[in-house]
Amino acid sequence: MNTPLFLALSTERRSRIYLLTAAEGSPPAALEQVTTLADSATDAGALVQHLNSSVGSGDRSSVEDYLTDLPEAVALACRRALERAASSVGLPAVPSDLPVVREFFATSPDEIVEHLQSGITLGLQFLVTNESLPDDVRLKATLFGDEMEVPYTPSPQWLPAPNGAPLLDRTYPSEDDLLDVFRDPVWETFVSRAYWLWVQEEDDPDSASATIVVEHFDQLIDDSNVFLRFAAEDDSDTEGRGPLSPRNRFELYITLLAMTADLDTLLSDWGEDVDSVVRDDMPLTVLAQPREWWVPMRDAADRLFTAARTGALHDLEPRTVGEEVLIALATRTSYVEWGRDTADLIGVTAKFNSLPTDPEWDGKYEEILPHLVGDVDVEMLWDRRLDGIEDPEDPTNAFLLMGDFRPAAWHDVLDGTAEDVDSAED
């Protein structure tokens, strides 16, 4: 991106200050009026020189000294223009001349606070930013091998704004306030950062104090790849969720994700010799079903995956035989292990490790299906000794009141759930 340029156009009575910005490959250059001075061209030229020097060097101390002698409205307009100009320079949002010691994603606000405080104690610059990952928006920490010291300025902008974003809010919290700072939900929505540095005293450049800076910018976090974000909280109370503890639900959610991807591949490559773990593990009665039959199965897996991900436990209750079969598969030990491998592959295992434990229910995946459905009748479909039990006319079926488990009925809404489905669609 081309360096922004301040210009002055003067007449006998006044001078207008403009900001010129242009980017390679973008529409024509933008010229915006910053302010008007009722002064001579010489004064306007001096102001422009200070403004351009600040943009080029990143040091605003000289221009701030000059602005203090100008009308407050003019000084404010220039400071805002400097914010926009500095943002458009395209400089990195980290001190690039400092050696990086370590980078990591924090698991909690407490961890961030501990490391930030340690950085101040050791005199090592510490930068916190937020980043969109597949499972969540996470706090990323960077520890540098040196410290930063900057001159005093009444309108500070020590690091260039990331991605050219306008400033939304800037605060200078104390160390005692840091935990509340990093628990603020704004970190999950807007581009944000926090760092500390030595700031010279206004009247004594030989003395400096450690200053913590927290900045939120008027730009939403790009969450286009946060399609896997797992909600730690669910919509039920602790007793009502039973075996759907946070960790069990996470394992169910990641396993259903793997199953959805498997069925997606099956449908995409239909007609070829494609392997499908899910299809191969289905009861024999459905293996020969056409592609049209498998589409609702993929959609059902995706619906259950979403319910497990968001914590909507009521929506996790199977509405069809096909969904009961999917839950029965997803809670098998081999499928849970498949889900764990998937979690490692896409980098969301840390989320699982951060979830609270439930000693009573964690690991009892076999209890999930009866908790959601009330029985495990669907598991009899895999017993070859019971071939024909899927037909409601079968004597055993009629005795157990199982219902219609034939392939043609797998996608029919079960009695007792039709009203729920209608309510959800409305």
Side-chain angles (χ1 to χ4, degrees), residues 177-386:
D177 297 328
L178 284 177
L179 201 53
D180 289 336
V181 164
F182 293 111
R183 285 174 174 170
D184 191 333
V186 71
W187 287 87
E188 300 178 3
T189 307
F190 292 97
V191 173
S192 304
R193 70 184 176 194
Y195 55 96
W196 81 276
L197 69 178
W198 295 108
V199 180
Q200 295 175 359
E201 301 293 344
E202 181 177 6
D203 301 322
D204 185 6
D206 294 329
S207 179
S209 58
T211 302
I212 300 171
V213 186
V214 177
E215 297 171 321
H216 303 294
F217 298 90
D218 193 10
Q219 178 175 309
L220 295 175
I221 296 174
D222 178 13
D223 62 354
S224 58
N225 67 332
V226 191
F227 65 99
L228 303 178
R229 186 182 302 171
F230 180 82
E233 301 294 330
D234 57 51
D235 60 3
S236 181
D237 58 86
T238 303
E239 294 183 1
R241 70 190 183 199
L244 290 171
S245 65
R247 292 195 168 205
N248 284 356
R249 180 166 59 84
F250 181 94
E251 304 240 53
L252 183 61
Y253 125 88
I254 203 67
T255 301
L256 285 166
L257 170 63
M259 295 171 68
T260 302
D262 177 270
L263 291 172
D264 262 331
T265 302
L266 173 66
L267 295 173
S268 298
D269 298 340
W270 192 267
E272 302 177 13
D273 187 17
V274 57
D275 292 329
S276 170
V277 174
V278 177
R279 181 176 62 176
D280 291 347
D281 287 341
M282 287 283 180
L284 296 179
T285 55
V286 303
L287 296 186
Q289 293 300 313
R291 183 182 186 279
E292 293 75 18
W293 187 92
W294 288 96
V295 172
M297 287 299 294
R298 186 273 316 277
D299 294 343
D302 186 61
R303 190 190 77 78
L304 294 171
F305 153 70
T306 300
R309 178 181 66 82
T310 60
L313 301 190
H314 183 69
D315 291 338
L316 195 52
E317 297 175 9
R319 299 171 179 173
T320 65
V321 171
E323 291 186 356
E324 288 189 24
V325 169
L326 290 170
I327 294 293
L329 284 175
T331 51
R332 289 183 178 180
T333 301
S334 60
Y335 272 67
V336 173
E337 292 175 353
W338 182 20
R340 290 172 181 169
D341 290 340
T342 301
D344 289 338
L345 181 65
I346 64 176
V348 298
T349 303
K351 181 65 176 181
F352 172 82
N353 293 334
S354 70
L355 295 174
T357 59
D358 186 335
E360 179 181 0
W361 290 111
D362 284 351
K364 295 182 179 179
Y365 313 109
E366 72 280 359
E367 299 293 338
I368 292 177
L369 180 62
H371 173 77
L372 292 171
V373 179
D375 57 57
V376 292
D377 290 348
V378 72
E379 293 183 347
M380 288 188 284
L381 293 176
W382 280 276
D383 191 339
R384 293 309 309 263
R385 297 169 300 176
L386 298 175

Side-chain angles (χ1 to χ4, degrees), residues 158-170:
W158 292 297
L159 294 182
N163 305 318
L167 186 67
L168 186 67
D169 181 55
R170 179 188 285 128

Side-chain angles (χ1 to χ4, degrees), residues 55-67:
V55 172
S57 66
D59 182 359
R60 290 176 60 166
S61 56
S62 177
V63 72
E64 283 296 339
D65 290 341
Y66 193 84
L67 291 176

